Amino acid sequence: MKAARGRRNSDDTVGQDAGNSSGAIVRLQNLSRAFGTTRALDGLDLELAPGELVALLGPSGCGKTTALRIVAGFETADSGAVKVDGHDVSGIPAAKRDMGMVFQSYSLFPNMSALENVSFGLRMRRLGAADRQRRAADLLDMVGLTPQGKQYPHQLSGGQQQRVALARALAIEPRVLLLDEPLSALDAKVRLQLREQIRSLQQRLGTTTLFVTHDQEEALSMADRVGVMHNGRLEQIATPDELYDRPATPFVAEFVGIMNRIPAALLELLGASALAADVVRHPESPAGAVDVLVRPEGLRLAASSTGNGIVVSRTFLGQLTRVSVRLSGDVVVQVDQQSTEAAALTPGDPVDVSMAGAPVMLADR
Amino acid sequence: MAQQTDTVVAPDTPGGSGARPARPGRVLGARLRSARTLLGVLPFTVYVVLGLVLPAVAIAVGAFQDSSTGGFTLSNVKTAATGIYLHGFETTLGVAVITSIVPGIVGFLVAYAIFTAKRGALLRRCVITASGVFANFGGVPLAFLFIATLGSTGMVTAWLTDIGLNPYTNGFDLYTFSGIVVVYMYFQIPLMVLVMLPALEGLRPAWREAANNLGAGAWQYWRYVGGPVLLPSFLGCVLLLFGSAFSAYATAEALTSGSVPLTAIQIGSFLNGNVLAGQQNVGKALGLGMIVIIAIVMTAYAVLQRRAAQWLR
Amino acid sequence: MAAVTGTTLVEGATPPARRTRPGIRQFPVWRWVILIVVGAYFIIPLVAALRFTGWSSFPQVVHQEGFSAAFELSVKLAAITTVLTIVLMLPTTVYVHLRLPRLRRLMEGITILPIVIPPVVLIVGVLQVAPGFLKSTPYLLALIYVVLAMPFAYRAFDAGLRALDLQTLVEASQSLGAGWRSTLWRVMLPNLRTAMLSATVLTVALVLGEFTMASLDLYQTFPVWIVAFDQTSGPISVAASLLALFVTWIFLLAITLIGGRTSRGGAEVSLFSVSRRVTR
């Protein structure tokens, strides 16, 4: 298998492969790409450690798919480079980059069975028929689809198709695995199952993986690190915890999880007269009026006839209930409350909202 | 690995969620109800029976009827399969084969050439509209167009003669087989373009990219994926062209006035009364033969379309 | 073969999104070569015909003997055929979509039949079984033309309905209290305007161009007149042919433009569509 690939290791990489496809180091350097007047990518810098799963998260149009396609070789960057294990692959055509890609949907070749699809990449690499069969069967087994080997894509469900697509991408033992919103077209339950499967497979094989998605739950639950993108720029790249607890920008703060945005003028109402000096400010010294960003769990709620807010609605989430409260000035905040306590509240009830700790961030209005 | 619980996706069509199954114990009521619902298609059925089935049956019956006695006979069919009529079939087959394969390939190339243009692009729109018009443009007007072009005093004939390549001295004659072939392409090529385009659109970009990603170049892509996937529709379309050329009458009639032995023309001549005594029903036998041949072709077409629909969904 | 059409535009359907594929070079040379060569093949005969007739022939066409009678006959037949076809096929197609969806396969098969039975053969059979009183009028042709138009009308309506999800619309309409007539008039027909337009254009084009059956039935419709007149004056006949072509082209162009503008992004559904793609 290795002989067929002719993979070269650069001198400066440490502890490389021993026979499985442990991942490569992938570096995206200052990638920029414009389509007409829109800047799809604006100087993206990203490095993936071997075997790491990095998720690129962001709303549509933020450039994450463009970045992925540049890495795969289906688009070229206007400037910047992609380096794999130290080698610049920007000039190498997609067919020779040795990366496995899983597309959003309908990428299985309709005229081939599942087994034939999986072994396609091996056929391109001129592996003998017996070897191809064996390897394809192994991979189908890894994704749990051995009985479906002879079936054609139109006979498989969406989830099964994507699993075959995953097996197909992994069959060639790629140095890098690229996933372009592979779960978006599937229903919720299947999505959850597949999430686990992708993650465990990726970890088992140690393949460096770049995963693009607009679903934050997916990104946060699967990735080692998540890069939040907005307007072609990487706003922050960090572990899921860090993103949630210590967002670098207001965009990240509001994109990841639920965030309340309260005008600073209302702070007194919440009983927080002075703000702690170490609260993150973004930008460094916000000019003029600021908003305070605080999570639902950072607020407290108590029924009170002389309160500062009125209950608007309640959303039952299980152990917690998210209560919508309208503060004076037409500002509505979400407060997380234990369901046992929140059960007594009804829309229209007066309540008192207070801050339970330091806010996450101060931002420009 | 966890057992997969999602269901196989079945081909879905909007607005066709299927008739509800009859509840047990109400079968009789259900049967009456469904009989009543079938009434809705009664007018259509009646029309089809009167306008299509009846004439077809008349032909089938007449083919085996002796024209003077009305009794059963195979002589019509035998006559239809020999001599000038056999020659007619052969000629027609020849025309149909050539004018389905050549325009098939050319049409495919044209379709491929424009399909990469973005939807709504001017070129694409123009070609599609033009194809729609030219596919329609058979028969009489077409014949005249070509008489003016490649007739013995036609414009192109004159050009070619000027450069020393008079087609008429090189085996071409508009009013014979070669002429018919050239003229038929005028509506066969657009027909091919129109029917291949949706098939080409069924080629998802993801397949090309996935193949690329797995190491396939352009040639390999077409050999393993693009070609096989398109083949059923391509063949199906060629068959459609075959059927179209086989049944064509007007163009050939306007062009040759019956001088080239074509089955369609021969059938027509029976209606004009140019018939030998005792052979009045041979025309019907010829007609029956034509129906049989085309029925076979169209069945093959339907089978190929079914396969293509599965893959190009 | 009688009239064949290209595309029918369908209202309310959006085309599937397509990404540009940068790997494919933008229009390599061979594509231009093909398009130019084929384009020449199509345009040269038109030019030749124009040269042959000369511009002066066109206005004269209308004044020729037999023209008005033949043209009038063709127009009458076209009108009758179109009305009959729509009255027959539209309700049937709607009915099948709503109540008998399992018959759709069968319908497609049946509506392919007129293509399987060539017009030249069909007319033989028709003349055999048609009652005398019908045979002595040209209107028999109109009745038969409906059969010829069937495949195209059915497909136009079928495509239009498929893009609509008629079942849901009808149920929504009924849940809001509309009776069958209102639903038909206010909900279904307005949404099927493009399909009806397509079917009309196709049928008209078919009838105006149909030569085979008319000539064998011995009635002088417009195409038959053109051939007969060729004996008298070649250029006039050619001019008439060009006129016919031009008119058809205008028709089809109009329907492309109108259909494209009224619908939200209108999808082009080919007559011989291969895929049963969900157009939502």
Side-chain angles (χ1 to χ4, degrees):
Chain A
M1 229 1 248
K2 277 192 301 177
R5 267 187 311 130
R7 199 228 269 165
R8 285 163 297 138
N9 298 324
S10 76
D11 300 309
D12 47 315
T13 52
V14 175
Q16 278 310 296
D17 67 298
N20 63 352
S21 59
S22 60
I25 300 178
V26 179
R27 254 205 92 206
L28 282 68
Q29 277 178 319
N30 199 22
L31 287 181
S32 290
R33 175 83 159 103
F35 291 108
T37 49
T38 359
R39 308 226 68 194
L41 276 184
D42 203 0
L44 177 68
D45 264 302
L46 184 59
E47 177 161 328
L48 287 81
E52 189 182 23
L53 195 165
V54 170
L56 278 184
L57 174 68
S60 26
C62 69
K64 54 194 195 297
T65 302
T66 311
L68 190 81
R69 288 170 66 82
I70 290 179
V71 174
F74 297 127
E75 310 259 0
T76 38
D78 295 334
S79 63
V82 177
K83 295 210 177 132
V84 179
D85 278 340
H87 297 279
D88 189 344
V89 299
S90 312
I92 305 181
K96 302 246 184 332
R97 287 199 188 187
D98 213 19
M99 299 182 184
M101 182 146 170
V102 180
F103 297 78
Q104 191 164 1
S105 61
Y106 296 119
S107 68
L108 292 182
F109 305 131
N111 54 313
M112 300 184 194
S113 68
L115 268 173
E116 287 166 343
N117 261 283
V118 174
S119 55
F120 185 79
L122 304 171
R123 185 198 280 264
M124 292 302 111
R125 284 157 175 75
R126 310 214 196 290
L127 218 59
D131 289 323
R132 283 203 312 259
Q133 268 283 73
R134 208 179 1 99
R135 181 123 187 94
D138 282 344
L139 266 130
L140 267 187
D141 185 53
M142 257 193 249
V143 297
L145 284 178
T146 308
Q148 277 79 11
K150 294 263 165 65
Q151 292 196 320
Y152 283 79
H154 70 267
Q155 298 171 292
L156 301 171
S157 70
Q160 289 172 326
Q161 285 183 33
Q162 287 301 66
R163 277 148 70 193
V164 175
L166 183 62
R168 183 177 67 177
L170 291 173
I172 55 175
E173 290 183 328
R175 314 183 267 181
V176 184
L177 181 63
L178 303 169
L179 299 136
D180 186 3
E181 305 209 44
L183 309 178
S184 310
L186 306 171
D187 13 288
K189 191 140 167 274
V190 176
R191 228 184 285 173
L192 286 175
Q193 289 169 329
L194 229 52
R195 240 192 252 174
E196 293 174 22
Q197 198 157 38
I198 294 178
R199 179 56 163 159
S200 66
L201 218 53
Q202 180 264 336
Q203 281 177 317
R204 179 162 140 198
L205 294 172
T207 317
T208 309
T209 306
L210 186 59
F211 185 107
V212 162
T213 179
H214 61 268
D215 182 334
Q216 48 163 308
E217 207 193 299
E218 218 163 75
L220 296 176
S221 65
M222 288 176 74
D224 292 314
R225 280 188 302 155
V226 178
V228 180
M229 286 187 68
H230 184 45
N231 286 340
R233 311 200 115 258
L234 191 64
E235 298 247 332
Q236 182 179 8
I237 173 144
T239 61
D241 307 33
E242 266 187 66
L243 274 184
Y244 189 81
D245 292 329
R246 287 179 292 285
T249 70
F251 177 79
V252 176
E254 294 184 290
F255 191 81
V256 180
I258 306 278
M259 185 66 87
N260 289 306
R261 189 179 260 262
I262 307 175
L266 288 181
L267 268 184
E268 279 205 33
L269 216 57
L270 298 174
S273 44
L275 288 168
D278 61 354
V279 173
V280 174
R281 279 154 214 268
H282 192 280
E284 283 279 313
S285 5
V290 286
D291 280 337
V292 178
L293 299 179
V294 61
R295 298 248 183 236
E297 59 269 25
L299 293 173
R300 288 271 175 277
L301 189 60
S304 160
S305 47
T306 54
N308 53 11
I310 309 259
V311 173
V312 173
S313 65
R314 269 181 345 182
T315 311
F316 180 76
L317 297 173
Q319 194 195 9
L320 293 173
T321 295
R322 190 153 287 155
V323 186
S324 250
V325 180
R326 182 187 301 276
L327 299 177
S328 82
D330 265 352
V331 174
V332 179
V333 293
Q334 316 287 335
V335 185
D336 279 354
Q337 190 85 342
Q338 290 290 321
S339 296
T340 42
E341 296 168 26
L345 297 170
T346 49
D349 284 353
V351 289
D352 192 57
V353 179
S354 57
M355 277 225 297
V360 172
M361 185 185 295
L362 298 180
D364 263 344
R365 217 159 190 326
Chain B
M1 287 292 160
Q3 195 60 20
Q4 204 57 6
T5 49
D6 49 349
T7 51
V8 176
V9 170
D12 197 43
T13 45
S17 45
R20 293 175 186 70
R23 283 189 293 249
R26 309 260 190 128
V27 177
L28 183 60
R31 282 229 195 94
L32 284 178
R33 230 181 299 128
S34 60
R36 243 189 314 151
T37 42
L38 281 178
L39 276 182
V41 289
L42 195 64
F44 171 76
T45 318
V46 166
Y47 209 102
V48 168
V49 166
L50 286 183
L52 206 52
V53 176
L54 218 55
V57 167
I59 292 177
V61 166
F64 295 104
Q65 248 182 352
D66 185 293
S67 43
S68 32
T69 65
F72 181 87
T73 172
L74 285 176
S75 66
N76 295 321
V77 178
K78 280 208 203 117
T79 319
T82 51
I84 47 167
Y85 300 116
L86 181 63
H87 191 38
F89 269 113
E90 288 168 350
T91 317
T92 314
L93 264 173
V95 169
V97 165
I98 298 181
T99 57
S100 51
I101 295 185
V102 174
I105 298 178
V106 175
F108 174 77
L109 291 175
V110 172
Y112 189 69
I114 64 168
F115 118 99
T116 46
K118 283 202 299 288
R119 188 178 284 276
L122 192 62
L123 178 66
R124 215 177 126 88
R125 269 273 153 108
C126 280
V127 173
I128 292 180
T129 318
S131 299
V133 173
F134 287 121
N136 226 349
F137 193 49
V140 171
L142 184 61
F144 286 152
L145 238 57
F146 268 89
I147 293 178
T149 314
L150 280 171
S152 29
T153 53
M155 186 175 88
V156 173
T157 316
W159 289 352
L160 289 174
T161 315
D162 285 343
I163 61 172
L165 267 181
N166 187 338
Y168 282 81
T169 56
N170 285 316
F172 172 83
D173 186 340
L174 183 68
Y175 309 101
T176 62
F177 185 91
S178 42
I180 292 183
V181 165
V182 171
V183 175
Y184 273 21
M185 307 246 276
Y186 210 77
F187 55 84
Q188 296 284 71
I189 294 180
L191 184 57
M192 188 65 184
V193 172
L194 292 175
V195 292
M196 266 324 282
L197 271 176
L200 279 175
E201 273 158 36
L203 274 185
R204 300 183 182 276
W207 295 337
R208 183 73 192 253
E209 289 174 351
N212 220 351
N213 168 259
L214 291 162
W219 161 246
Q220 286 164 313
Y221 166 71
W222 281 107
R223 171 158 162 22
Y224 289 106
V225 185
V229 171
L230 278 183
L231 196 62
S233 352
F234 178 78
L235 287 180
C237 295
V238 167
L239 284 179
L240 202 65
L241 256 57
F242 180 90
S244 161
F246 199 85
S247 3
Y249 171 89
T251 315
E253 172 67 21
L255 204 54
T256 69
S257 308
S259 59
V260 177
L262 289 174
T263 310
I265 309 264
Q266 289 171 338
I267 295 178
S269 66
F270 276 90
L271 283 178
N272 291 334
N274 309 337
V275 190
L276 294 172
Q279 282 195 346
Q280 284 94 320
N281 282 347
V282 175
K284 300 204 181 92
L286 286 175
L288 185 62
M290 234 191 173
I291 295 181
V292 166
I293 292 182
I294 300 204
I296 295 177
V297 166
M298 291 311 284
T299 314
Y301 168 74
V303 167
L304 284 168
Q305 289 296 76
R306 188 84 51 84
R307 167 62 63 89
Q310 265 179 353
W311 289 351
L312 287 175
R313 207 147 27 103
Chain C
M1 189 147 163
V4 166
T5 189
T7 55
T8 50
L9 283 176
V10 157
E11 280 186 83
T14 45
R18 283 177 44 98
R19 289 200 285 234
T20 50
R21 282 136 56 229
I24 316 281
R25 295 82 56 218
Q26 287 289 61
F27 263 78
V29 184
W30 73 268
R31 283 179 203 182
W32 281 115
V33 170
I34 287 273
L35 288 176
I36 291 179
V37 168
V38 176
Y41 170 75
F42 281 94
I43 299 193
I44 290 182
L46 289 171
V47 172
L50 269 173
R51 283 254 304 250
F52 179 70
T53 78
W55 293 103
S56 54
S57 302
F58 283 95
Q60 292 178 37
V61 173
V62 195
H63 301 299
Q64 298 312 309
E65 182 189 324
F67 170 83
S68 11
F71 192 70
E72 207 182 293
L73 180 60
S74 279
V75 169
K76 263 194 257 181
L77 288 176
I80 300 176
T81 310
T82 309
V83 168
L84 275 179
T85 308
I86 293 188
V87 163
L88 182 70
M89 295 310 298
L90 182 58
T92 307
T93 318
V94 168
Y95 194 79
V96 168
H97 262 256
L98 280 181
R99 291 286 176 82
L100 296 164
R102 272 185 284 186
L103 277 192
R104 278 172 62 194
R105 267 278 160 80
L106 186 63
M107 285 289 288
E108 285 195 15
I110 295 182
T111 51
I112 278 266
L113 283 182
I115 300 182
V116 174
I117 303 182
V120 63
V121 177
L122 187 61
I123 190 74
V124 172
V126 167
L127 288 177
Q128 184 84 1
V129 300
F133 71 91
L134 269 182
K135 266 198 280 193
S136 56
T137 79
Y139 301 112
L140 173 66
L141 283 176
L143 293 177
I144 293 302
Y145 285 166
V146 172
V147 172
L148 289 185
M150 208 180 281
F152 311 101
Y154 175 74
R155 272 163 181 71
F157 292 133
D158 185 54
L161 286 172
R162 260 193 283 153
L164 265 193
D165 195 355
L166 189 68
Q167 191 100 14
T168 310
L169 281 182
V170 168
E171 289 175 354
S173 167
Q174 290 181 319
S175 73
L176 291 163
W180 270 113
R181 244 180 304 165
S182 299
T183 307
L184 188 76
W185 192 247
R186 291 175 195 277
V187 176
M188 283 200 257
L189 286 184
N191 278 303
L192 288 174
R193 250 181 312 177
T194 316
M196 285 212 290
L197 194 58
S198 294
T200 307
V201 168
L202 300 179
T203 313
V204 168
L206 185 152
V207 175
L208 287 182
E210 209 285 328
F211 170 81
T212 308
M213 297 176 86
S215 72
L216 291 174
D217 193 23
L218 304 173
Y219 278 102
Q220 203 168 62
T221 57
F222 186 50
V224 177
W225 173 81
I226 292 180
V227 173
F229 203 79
D230 184 50
Q231 310 298 338
T232 316
S233 162
I236 304 278
S237 280
V238 177
S241 306
L242 284 173
L243 262 182
L245 175 67
F246 190 61
V247 166
T248 319
W249 184 70
I250 295 282
F251 256 144
L252 285 177
L253 193 65
I255 193 189
T256 313
L257 289 177
I258 297 179
R261 225 156 0 141
T262 53
S263 54
R264 289 176 284 124
E268 287 167 41
V269 178
S270 170
L271 185 62
F272 296 95
S273 152
V274 163
S275 54
R276 286 198 203 318
R277 217 174 303 141
V278 175
T279 48
R280 195 103 59 97

